[in-house]
């Protein structure tokens, strides 16, 4: 007589995911393979993600890849290996894309707010100070700023409001009359003729008036034709409405002469 091998046929009736082990003649035990659980007759894949998030960080996603196998991936807004995930502050790099004159605040995942600092105005991504400061930050108006500084003219650094008509930098650099005005000591009068006090006049406001008085005291004539604003029938506004905390800047293509 020979012993009956209970595992010989059809894996002894055990699950295809189980091992049939002979015990005593004619008897066997079914043991689920690694990565599976059950009684051996029925074996089910173990999903490690169902318990303690598969050992992943609470800010990570656990994804089953096989029997009792999984990978951990940090959620959006976090960085790490999945086992440990750290919140990524949007404000930690480049001020979160906000203006250098703004405060960046993380609000929620992948979100942040940009708020202009005190004494600045804007949407947080672009913040402007007073118009005296803004002159220096724009290459189109920086030459005008240097002329003001050279003559210690600080009128437009005050509370305002002011409207400023600024000849573009290349115009101030190329006009030969500028050197003569500086030599004759009249440059301050020319500069103040480009300033208007007690009003912050946007481009749309200027289309409704015909004359305004400069800080120099002389009037500036305004005309509007062919979708262009022209000052003293000569200088055209080519860049408009750079609004600061104490006024507005318009760039013109010629120098106004009182």
């Amino acid at each position: 007589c020979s012993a009956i091998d209970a595992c010989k046929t059809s894996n002894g009736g055990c699950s295809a995911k189980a091992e049939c082990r002979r015990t005593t003649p004619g008897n066997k035990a079914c043991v689920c393979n690694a990565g599976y659980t059950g009684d051996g007759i029925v074996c089910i894949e173990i999903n490690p993600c169902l318990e303690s998030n598969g050992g992943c960080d609470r800010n990570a996603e656990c994804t089953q890849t096989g029997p009792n196998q999984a990978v951990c991936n940090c959620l959006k807004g976090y960085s790490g290996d999945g086992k440990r995930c750290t919140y990524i502050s949007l404000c930690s790099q480049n001020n979160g894309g906000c203006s250098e004159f703004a405060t960046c605040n993380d609000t929620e995942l992948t979100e942040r707010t940009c708020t202009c600092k005190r004494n600045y105005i804007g949407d947080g991504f672009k913040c402007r100070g007073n118009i005296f400061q803004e002159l220096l930050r724009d290459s189109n108006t920086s030459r005008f700023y240097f002329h003001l500084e050279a003559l210690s003219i600080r009128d437009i650094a005050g509370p305002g409001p002011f409207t400023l008509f600024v000849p573009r930098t290349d115009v101030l650099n190329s006009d030969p009359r500028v050197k003569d005005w500086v030599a004759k000591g009249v440059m301050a009068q020319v500069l103040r003729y480009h300033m208007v006090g007690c009003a912050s006049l946007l481009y749309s406001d200027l289309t409704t008036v015909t004359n305004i008085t400069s800080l120099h005291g002389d009037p500036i004539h305004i005309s509007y034709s062919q979708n262009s604003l022209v000052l003293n029938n000569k200088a055209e506004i080519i860049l408009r409405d750079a609004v600061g905390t104490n006024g507005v800047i318009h760039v013109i293509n010629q120098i106004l002469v009182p």
Side-chain angles (χ1 to χ4, degrees), residues 32 86 92 110 160 213 216:
C32 291
T86 306
S92 64
T110 70
T213 303
H216 173 261

Side-chain angles (χ1 to χ4, degrees), residues 8-138:
K8 186 174 183 180
T9 305
S10 300
N11 199 31
C14 299
S15 166
K17 304 297 183 182
E19 178 187 0
C20 182
R21 296 177 182 174
R22 293 169 58 186
T23 52
T24 57
N27 295 306
K28 89 300 186 177
C30 298
V31 181
C32 291
N33 295 334
Y36 293 83
T37 184
D39 59 6
I41 304 300
V42 177
C43 295
I44 302 172
E45 251 187 33
I46 297 172
N47 183 352
C49 296
L50 297 178
E51 186 175 343
S52 301
N53 200 30
C56 303
D57 188 274
R58 65 188 181 91
N59 294 306
E61 180 182 23
C62 179
T63 305
Q64 184 184 6
T65 57
N68 206 26
Q69 295 177 330
V71 293
C72 303
N73 294 298
C74 292
L75 297 174
K76 188 175 181 180
Y78 292 85
S79 66
D81 60 5
K83 297 291 185 182
R84 181 180 175 84
C85 299
T86 306
Y87 174 64
I88 301 171
S89 168
L90 293 178
C91 296
S92 64
Q93 294 184 339
N94 194 33
N95 201 31
C98 303
S99 164
E100 63 179 304
F101 306 112
T103 301
C104 179
N105 288 303
D106 289 291
T107 53
E108 54 186 83
L109 294 183
T110 70
E111 297 292 335
R112 52 86 177 88
T113 60
C114 301
T115 308
C116 292
K117 295 177 180 177
R118 186 180 178 186
N119 297 325
Y120 288 88
I121 59 171
D123 60 6
F125 297 97
K126 188 167 186 178
C127 299
R128 291 192 177 98
N130 67 49
I131 56 175
F132 186 66
Q133 295 170 310
E134 293 306 312
L135 287 173
L136 183 59
R137 297 192 184 113
D138 188 337

Side-chain angles (χ1 to χ4, degrees), residues 3-4 58 83 90 100 148 155 179 199 211 238 251 253:
I4 296 173
R58 65 188 181 91
K83 297 291 185 182
L90 293 178
E100 63 179 304
L148 294 177
D155 306 58
K179 287 185 178 179
N211 287 285
I238 52 177
V251 179
N253 62 357

